[in-house]
Amino acid sequence: MTAVEFALLCAAALLALGPVAILLGRRAVATPLIYASSAVLCLALTGAGVAVLAGMAGVSGRVLPIGLPWLGAHWRLDALAAFFLLVVGFGSAAASVYALGYGRHEHEPLRVLPFYPAFLGAMVLVVLAHDAFSFLASWEVMSLLSWALVMAHHRAEGTRHAGYVYLLMAGFGTMALLLAFGLLAGSGGDYAFDAMRASDRSPAMAAAILALMLLGAGSKAGLVPLHVWLPLAHPAAPSHVSALMSGVMTKVALYGLIRVVFDLVGPLAWWASPAVIVLGALTAVLGILSALVASDIKRALAYSTIENIGVIVAALGLALAFRANGMTATAALAFSAALFHIFNHAAFKSLLFMGAGNVLTATGQRELDALGGLIHRMPVTAALMLVGAMAISALPPLNGFASEWLLFQSVLKSPELPQAGLQIIVPAAGAMLALAAALAASAFVRIYGVGFLGRPRSEAAQKAVEVDRFSLAAMAALALICVLAGVFPGVVLDLLAPASEAMVAARLPVQADQAWLTLVPIAETRSTYNGLLVLVFIAFSASGSAWLVHRLASRKLRRGPAWDCGFPSDIANTQYGAGSFAQPLRRVLGTVLLRAREEITMPPPGDGGPARLRVHLRDLFWDGIYQPISTVINAVATQANRLQFLTIRRYLSLVVGSLVSLLLVLTIWN
C-alpha cells in the first residue's frame, strides 16, 4: 500500500465516523468512541506525513473513478502535501484527545459529533487533492462542516451572526478559488494539477491568479481585510473546534495558497511580491493590535491568529521576491521560515485555545476582567498556558522565537535584492513585523497576567477547579512540541526541507551535520542560533541566581504589603485589569486603526453610584467595506421584494419585456 492510499483510507474512515455518530445517537459511548477513533486515525496520518518527509515512503499518487467523468479524482502525496498532512495530523490528534475530556461537558453532542471527524477528513482530502475539482469539492465540504461546528451552540448570543458571516466569506472565497483554477486551466480546460503545472502563462495572468488566490485562500486564512469572520466564529465554536479552526484549518488555507503560487502558476515576476509582503505585514500589525484591546480571551486569541497568518504570508512574499531574482538559497530561507512558523503556530495556538477552553469549563467566563487568580486554582493549566504564551511571544528558547528569528534573517538579506523598491519595502515590512512581535509579547502578558495572576475578580474565578486529565494531557503534548521544536529547531527544518526543495528548488543546509545542534541558516560566519545552549544558560543562570539569593540573603523574616497598583483596597476590581493594560496603546494606535472611543458616564451630584468608562471599538474594514455593501444589498432586496406582489398582467409584461430585450441584444451582437 502506498502512502497516498493509506492517507486516503484514513480520510475515508474519518468521513465514515460521521454517520456512525448519528447511529449511536445520544449513547454514552458515542463521545469517547468518536474522539478516540479520530485521535488514532490522525496520529496515523501524522506518521504517513513523517514517513514521506523522512524518505521512508516515496511520493505517490492515485486516480479514483469518481468526480468528473472524463477526469476522475486525482490524489497525490508529495513533500509539500506530506508536511501539511503532518500539521493536520498532529493538530487534529491533540484536539481529539482534548475533546475526550472537554466533550463530556457538551450539552448537545449530536450537534458536534457527526461533523467533527468528517471535518478532519475533509481537511485531509484538501491536502491530498491533485486536481481542481477534487480540491474545490473537498474545500467546500470542509467549509460547510466547519460552519456546522461553529453553529453548534446556535442559541448562544451572536452565534447565528457569526455563522452567517462565516458562510458568506466562505462562499466568496470558494468563488475566488474557482476563478483562479479556471485561469489555471485556460482554454484547454484540463483541471489536473499536472496539466496546469505544464502550461505557460504571461506575467500578468500569473499575477491575476496570485490576486485571486490571496482572495480565496486569504478569506479562509484570515488575511486583512478578509478577516472579519474569524473573531466572530472562533469564540462561538466549541473550544476544541476553535483550536482546530485556528491551528489547523487556517494552515490548510495556506496550503492552497502555496500549492498554486509556488507550484502550479509558474514563475512570478518580482513586482508581484511587494503586495504580498505588505499585505502580510499589515495583517500582522492590525491583528495583534486588535488582540491587545480585546476583552474576550477567545476573541483575543482569534485576532492573534490573524497576526500570525500575516507573519507567514509576509515570509512567503519574501520567498517570492528572492526566487524571482534567482536567489534560491535565500528564497529557501524565507520559505523554510514560513513553513516552520506554520508548524509552530499549529502547536502553540492550539495549546492556547485549549487553555481558554479549560478556563471556560472551570469558570463559565471568557471575559478577562471576570477572571484572575487562576494560577492557584488551576495550576497545571496555568503552567501549560504560560508555555504557550511564551512561545507565541517569540521568547527563546521556545519554537516561536526560532521561526521568527529565521524570518528576520531573510529580511536582513534584502539589501542584496537588485530592485530599489524591494530594498525599501522589505526593511519597512520587517520593521512592521518587529512591531507586531513586540505587541504580541505585550498582548500575552496582558492575557496571562489578568487571567491567571492577581486576585479573582468574580465568584466564578474564586470557585474554579482544575479540569480533567485528557484535556491536560493534550495540552502537555503540545507544550512539549513547543519546547522541543525551539530547543532542536534543526530537526524540524531538516524534516521540512524536501517541501522547500520541491517549491523553491533549494533547501537550508543540513542541520543535523552542525556541531552542538546549532541552527545555521546561511553560514556559520554570518548568524547562528543554538536553542539547547540558550536553554542551558537560562537554567543555570536562573538556578544560580536563586541559589545565591538563598545563600547570601538575610535569614530574617520580613513582611510587607503587596504592591496595590496605587489602590489600597480589598476590592479585587481595583487591581490592574485588561483595559488598564490596553489603554496606552489603544490611545496611541487604536484611535485611528480601530476607531477607539472612550465614553465616560459621571453620576450627577448627590448620586452615590459609580462612574462608568465604556470603550467602543470599530473594525475599520467592516465599516468601510462590508457595511456599505450590506446596506446596498438590503436596499436592492427591499426594492426587489415588491416583485412578489405584482399582478398577472405585470408579470407577463416583465416576461415579454425581458424577451424583447434579449432579442435586441442578440440582434446587435450579430
Side-chain angles (χ1 to χ4, degrees):
M1 181 184 295
T2 62
V4 71
E5 291 172 343
F6 177 76
L8 284 171
L9 283 176
C10 291
L14 287 168
L15 292 171
L17 284 176
V20 171
I22 297 175
L23 293 174
L24 291 175
R26 298 182 179 276
R27 297 179 186 177
V29 72
T31 295
L33 176 63
I34 296 302
Y35 287 132
S37 301
S38 299
V40 171
L41 290 169
C42 290
L43 284 175
L45 289 166
T46 304
V50 172
V52 173
L53 290 171
M56 294 181 288
V59 174
S60 55
R62 183 67 188 267
V63 181
L64 298 178
I66 56 177
L68 297 177
W70 65 90
L71 180 66
H74 292 69
W75 313 96
R76 190 165 185 261
L77 185 57
D78 58 8
L80 181 66
F83 171 75
F84 279 91
L85 188 65
L86 164 64
V87 173
V88 171
F90 88 79
S92 301
S96 300
V97 173
Y98 177 84
L100 285 170
Y102 185 85
R104 298 173 184 172
H105 308 285
E106 188 63 55
H107 298 297
E108 296 180 286
L110 279 180
R111 290 194 172 275
V112 178
L113 289 179
F115 308 110
Y116 178 85
F119 173 50
L120 304 183
M123 289 193 291
V124 173
L125 291 180
V126 172
V127 173
L128 297 178
H130 206 62
D131 66 77
F133 181 82
S134 301
F135 183 94
L136 289 173
S138 303
W139 182 282
E140 193 64 10
V141 171
M142 176 186 73
S143 299
L144 290 173
L145 291 172
S146 58
W147 169 80
L149 291 168
V150 168
M151 293 295 292
H153 301 154
H154 64 286
R155 294 185 180 89
E157 182 181 358
T159 298
R160 279 173 287 184
H161 174 65
Y164 176 69
V165 173
Y166 176 53
L167 201 59
L168 286 178
M169 295 304 298
F172 170 79
T174 302
M175 290 302 299
L177 290 176
L178 185 62
L179 291 173
F181 281 116
L183 293 179
L184 281 167
S187 58
D190 194 336
Y191 293 101
F193 284 178
D194 288 332
M196 294 178 179
R197 192 179 291 114
S199 299
D200 292 327
R201 297 173 188 86
S202 66
M205 180 64 73
I209 294 171
L210 170 63
L212 287 170
M213 288 304 302
L214 288 173
L215 290 174
S219 66
K220 186 69 70 182
L223 275 178
V224 170
L226 306 168
H227 66 288
V228 291
W229 66 270
L230 206 142
L232 298 174
H234 283 16
S239 294
H240 60 301
V241 176
S242 299
L244 276 175
M245 293 179 69
S246 181
V248 180
M249 188 183 74
T250 56
K251 310 309 176 299
V252 175
L254 290 173
Y255 165 78
L257 178 66
I258 294 171
R259 173 63 74 187
V260 172
V261 173
F262 284 87
D263 185 18
L264 303 183
V265 78
L268 282 157
W270 72 266
W271 47 262
S273 60
V276 182
I277 297 170
V278 172
L279 181 61
L282 180 64
T283 298
V285 172
L286 290 177
I288 199 59
L289 182 60
S290 299
L292 190 58
V293 299
S295 59
D296 183 310
I297 185 171
K298 290 183 73 175
R299 187 181 294 270
L301 292 177
Y303 277 122
S304 170
T305 295
I306 297 171
E307 180 249 342
N308 282 274
I309 293 299
V311 171
I312 295 166
V313 170
L316 293 175
L318 284 170
L320 286 175
F322 290 124
R323 188 180 70 165
N325 286 286
M327 302 168 62
T328 55
T330 314
L333 173 60
F335 189 78
S336 299
L339 293 188
F340 193 16
H341 202 70
I342 286 172
F343 176 88
N344 292 337
H345 184 255
F348 55 63
K349 185 50 64 69
S350 297
L351 168 61
L352 290 167
F353 264 110
M354 291 176 188
N358 288 0
V359 171
L360 182 60
T361 300
T363 66
Q365 298 287 339
R366 296 197 322 232
E367 291 292 323
L368 287 170
D369 284 327
L371 303 176
L374 296 180
I375 192 172
H376 301 294
R377 291 154 186 83
M378 305 174 69
V380 181
T381 296
L384 296 173
M385 279 286 283
L386 181 60
V387 175
M390 293 172 63
I392 201 170
S393 300
L395 297 180
L398 299 177
N399 57 348
F401 174 82
S403 54
E404 293 200 20
W405 180 81
L406 279 178
L407 171 59
F408 285 111
Q409 293 302 310
S410 63
V411 171
L412 293 176
K413 296 283 285 183
S414 61
E416 299 178 15
L417 290 166
Q419 294 84 16
L422 284 174
Q423 291 176 359
I424 297 173
I425 290 172
V426 173
M432 294 176 68
L433 294 173
L435 173 62
L439 292 177
S442 178
F444 282 91
V445 166
R446 171 179 175 264
I447 290 173
Y448 192 84
V450 175
F452 289 89
L453 305 181
R455 291 175 289 176
R457 295 172 173 82
S458 65
E459 185 178 356
Q462 178 72 39
K463 296 180 178 179
V465 294
E466 192 60 272
V467 297
D468 60 275
R469 294 181 179 179
F470 283 112
S471 301
L472 296 177
M475 293 179 64
L478 292 173
L480 183 62
I481 290 175
C482 292
V483 174
L484 293 179
V487 175
F488 308 109
V491 176
V492 182
L493 290 170
D494 283 344
L495 197 62
L496 61 83
S500 173
E501 197 161 10
M503 294 298 106
V504 295
R507 55 164 292 167
L508 294 182
V510 178
Q511 303 302 313
D513 296 341
Q514 306 299 330
W516 295 95
L517 300 173
T518 301
L519 178 58
V520 183
I522 303 172
E524 291 184 2
T525 57
R526 183 177 180 91
S527 186
T528 61
Y529 167 71
N530 193 304
L532 181 61
L533 291 182
V534 171
L535 177 63
V536 170
F537 171 76
I538 292 174
F540 271 93
S541 60
S543 58
S545 299
W547 183 83
L548 286 174
V549 169
H550 178 74
R551 297 293 298 175
L552 301 179
S554 170
R555 295 182 179 273
K556 182 179 179 181
L557 180 63
R558 296 181 294 275
R559 295 185 181 274
W563 181 51
D564 54 23
C565 304
F567 295 94
S569 171
D570 293 332
I571 302 174
N573 289 338
T574 61
Q575 61 189 326
Y576 228 58
S580 310
F581 272 96
Q583 186 188 62
L585 284 170
R586 187 182 68 234
R587 289 182 172 178
V588 173
L589 299 175
T591 304
V592 176
L593 297 178
L594 301 177
R595 294 188 177 180
R597 299 291 182 269
E598 295 180 359
E599 177 187 343
I600 300 175
T601 304
M602 295 295 294
D607 187 344
R612 301 289 183 186
L613 171 64
R614 294 181 178 86
V615 178
H616 302 280
L617 300 172
R618 301 291 301 177
D619 191 313
L620 193 65
F621 295 97
W622 180 270
D623 290 345
I625 299 175
Y626 299 100
Q627 193 63 49
I629 293 175
S630 175
T631 302
V632 172
I633 291 175
N634 287 333
V636 172
T638 301
Q639 296 299 320
N641 190 49
R642 298 178 181 179
L643 294 176
Q644 63 179 321
F645 301 108
L646 298 179
T647 63
I648 295 296
R649 286 182 296 177
R650 290 180 177 175
Y651 277 127
L652 292 174
S653 299
L654 283 176
V655 172
V656 172
S658 301
L659 182 60
V660 170
S661 300
L662 288 173
L663 291 173
L664 286 174
V665 170
L666 288 174
T667 302
I668 295 172
W669 183 268
N670 293 327

